[in-house]
Amino acid sequence: MSNDTSNLFEIYEKMGISKPVYEFGNKILERLSDRFAQIDAIAEYNQCKVLHAMQKNHVSEACLSGTTGYGYNDLGRDTLERVYADVFHTEDALVRPQITCGTHALALALMSNLRPGDELLSPVGKPYDTLEEVIGIRPSKGSLAEYGVSYRQVDLLPDGSFDFENIRKAVNAKTHLVTIQRSKGYQTRPTLSVERIGELIRFIKEIKPDVICMVDNCYGEFVEIIEPTDVGADMAVGSLIKNPGGGLAPIGGYIVGTRECVENAAYRLTSPGLGKEVGASLGILNSLYQGFFLAPTVTAGALKGAVFAASVYEELGFACVPDASEPRYDIIQAITFHNPEGLIAFCEGIQAAAPVDSFVVPEPWDMPGYDAKVIMAAGAFVSGSSIELSADGPLKEPYAVYFQGGLTWPHAKFGIYKTLQKMQETFHFF
Ligand SMILES: *Cc1c(COP(=O)(O)O)cnc(C)c1O
């Protein structure tokens, strides 16, 4: 064996990628160098931003070991929260393993900052599926609706723009909190850029200056060099098993924002009177720090995978959201196949590319809460982590797959090759 990388195909061939698939992908890659350079520049900026916050807050070796029991005087936990607050340019932050997932973080932010009689407004249409039960759009035990918090929604206009006229009408004396979802999630509307979120927040604050503006920041962290809290958001909320955990965080959620919003959330997470003072970090602070440190480059790898996937599948004639040339504001790539075979082949490819459970074959199943079978592919180090290479989609028109993640660009690239290989076996493109 030599150290010559001019024939990378050898290793791909060994891993089941055929020459036509490899060459097709490589040809497409040649035209992506400008896009990739832009993604790298953003990662470079964000890497410095995170590093600066860690240095400024004197992250020390002592911060990496955690506490047990009540967790009083947990230096590492408190310092990590100051690091998050500095990166997001907010007064305070709550970053905890006791916040179990993104939905929990969002529910916590909402329930702690709303009181009976208040109204919640979503000016960007239907929120993420799991929030329907938090809000009570679908009746559920413990929902905001059960506690007397009402909800109003203004949909985006058909062209994806804000319906300013109806938003103005929807803001009333009871409106206390406005929730803005940055990512499209598993919908087909466009993802909002931070700049557009800023425009929306300015409009709302002009109507009602004291309203709290919260952004569901899931999948958006580090995709741009600014975050929603740089353009007026009072709170940004997300999951540590997506972008900001860098693939290393084994659990957790964060809320960054004004001192008052974060304080409310802390008193709700633990207990009135206790707030941020309790909550042992156990042994995971090392992963939370190191994951946050890696998050800018991990996010960049996932973004390159998304751009590559869109470029490849658009070339083969499949509609992609966002399309290959559009700017990116989150890491999710939707590809529509209009037939079950394409969706299934794609997911089989992602599964076969995984470092864990690559030998299992994903099968469509009747998932609770869905009206069609769903197929999911994931072989992750952290269960359910969607910053790791993953894909899923419901088996119904338009047979769209939602693809995201990849802890490294080479892995995301290999994953796309593997999907192409499975597609080739079904459709014989080349
Ligand atoms: C993932 C996600 C959530 C929920 O996070 P979970 O960790 O799955 O509970 C909420 N909103 C958006 C936009 C998401 O992408």
Side-chain angles (χ1 to χ4, degrees):
M1 275 182 87
S2 81
N3 207 18
D4 180 6
T5 56
S6 63
N7 196 7
L8 281 179
F9 176 64
E10 263 175 37
I11 187 79
Y12 282 105
E13 189 176 32
K14 198 186 277 181
M15 296 178 77
I17 306 299
S18 67
K19 193 101 191 181
V21 164
Y22 179 73
E23 283 178 347
F24 177 75
N26 261 15
K27 215 171 179 61
I28 286 183
L29 271 178
E30 282 167 16
R31 55 177 200 240
L32 295 179
S33 53
D34 285 353
R35 293 295 299 280
F36 281 20
Q38 173 67 12
I39 291 169
D40 285 335
I42 291 170
E44 192 175 337
Y45 183 95
N46 286 331
Q47 180 70 82
C48 290
K49 182 159 72 167
V50 172
L51 179 61
H52 182 253
M54 288 186 172
Q55 293 181 343
K56 181 185 157 208
N57 288 291
H58 290 194
V59 173
S60 63
E61 195 175 351
C63 292
L64 304 180
S65 51
T67 54
T68 57
Y70 292 109
Y72 295 132
N73 304 313
D74 190 321
L75 174 73
R77 176 196 68 205
D78 296 347
T79 304
L80 181 67
E81 289 178 338
R82 286 203 298 278
V83 169
Y84 263 71
D86 278 344
V87 164
F88 287 93
H89 304 123
T90 55
E91 290 173 355
D92 208 349
L94 191 64
V95 185
R96 302 283 168 129
Q98 287 82 12
I99 303 177
T100 55
C101 62
T103 303
H104 186 190
L106 288 157
L108 180 61
L110 291 171
M111 297 189 159
S112 60
N113 282 286
L114 286 159
R115 296 289 178 274
D118 286 345
E119 189 159 278
L120 168 66
L121 169 68
S122 171
V124 296
K126 185 184 102 55
Y128 197 75
D129 269 3
T130 55
L131 285 192
E132 290 186 3
E133 281 171 279
V134 172
I135 295 168
I137 300 171
R138 271 185 286 143
S140 174
K141 281 202 197 312
S143 70
L144 285 166
E146 269 196 355
Y147 283 89
V149 174
S150 56
Y151 172 70
R152 213 176 270 260
Q153 176 178 316
V154 178
D155 290 338
L156 294 171
L157 292 170
D159 67 354
S161 61
F162 301 126
D163 185 350
F164 287 117
E165 195 187 321
N166 282 311
I167 293 170
R168 185 185 295 282
K169 285 184 197 153
V171 176
N172 60 59
K174 286 168 60 183
T175 312
H176 187 67
L177 198 153
V178 172
T179 179
I180 301 167
Q181 186 178 309
R182 178 173 175 180
S183 168
K184 65 186 166 303
Y186 302 120
Q187 290 172 259
T188 46
R189 71 147 165 101
T191 287
L192 303 176
S193 67
V194 171
E195 199 184 329
R196 285 191 69 203
I197 290 172
E199 185 193 349
L200 181 57
I201 292 174
R202 278 193 300 280
F203 178 78
I204 287 162
K205 295 258 182 186
E206 254 169 47
I207 306 169
K208 194 168 183 181
D210 60 347
V211 80
I212 298 168
C213 290
M214 180 191 92
V215 174
D216 174 351
N217 210 22
C218 284
Y219 287 130
E221 299 92 349
F222 298 127
V223 172
E224 300 181 61
I225 64 174
I226 50 171
E227 296 288 341
T229 42
D230 293 316
V231 295
D234 301 290
M235 267 193 292
V237 181
S239 162
L240 300 195
I241 65 165
K242 293 178 179 172
N243 308 17
L248 293 185
I251 189 171
Y254 76 88
I255 298 172
V256 291
T258 63
R259 188 158 289 114
E260 194 183 345
C261 285
V262 172
E263 194 171 47
N264 280 334
Y267 284 131
R268 173 85 191 208
L269 174 66
T270 63
S271 157
L274 301 182
K276 291 181 78 178
E277 303 301 319
V278 295
S281 55
L282 306 173
I284 72 159
L285 280 173
N286 199 308
S287 316
L288 301 196
Y289 276 106
Q290 197 176 352
F292 198 49
F293 178 75
L294 292 176
T297 50
V298 169
T299 302
L303 271 175
K304 287 177 184 174
V307 171
F308 183 46
S311 307
V312 159
Y313 280 95
E314 216 168 74
E315 185 80 13
L316 292 173
F318 299 101
C320 294
V321 182
D323 71 30
S325 59
E326 273 177 81
R328 302 266 150 176
Y329 304 119
D330 68 14
I331 63 166
I332 302 177
Q333 182 60 52
I335 306 165
T336 44
F337 295 107
H338 292 295
N339 61 65
E341 293 81 14
L343 171 58
I344 292 169
F346 188 97
C347 289
E348 284 178 357
I350 292 297
Q351 189 72 43
V356 178
D357 288 338
S358 62
F359 49 87
V360 306
V361 179
E363 279 190 19
W365 62 298
D366 286 301
M367 207 179 139
Y370 288 82
D371 56 354
K373 282 190 193 299
V374 175
I375 185 164
M376 296 184 161
F381 297 108
V382 172
S383 180
S385 165
S386 48
I387 187 63
E388 299 188 49
L389 195 69
S390 49
D392 45 74
L395 273 98
K396 62 177 185 188
E397 268 302 333
Y399 294 97
V401 77
Y402 296 89
F403 159 74
Q404 66 271 314
L407 293 184
T408 67
W409 154 238
H411 186 225
K413 175 179 171 181
F414 177 71
I416 307 296
Y417 277 146
K418 208 71 184 162
T419 66
L420 265 177
Q421 190 68 42
K422 292 281 181 191
M423 297 286 285
Q424 166 70 355
E425 284 157 18
T426 310
F427 295 101
H428 311 289
F429 295 119
F430 315 111

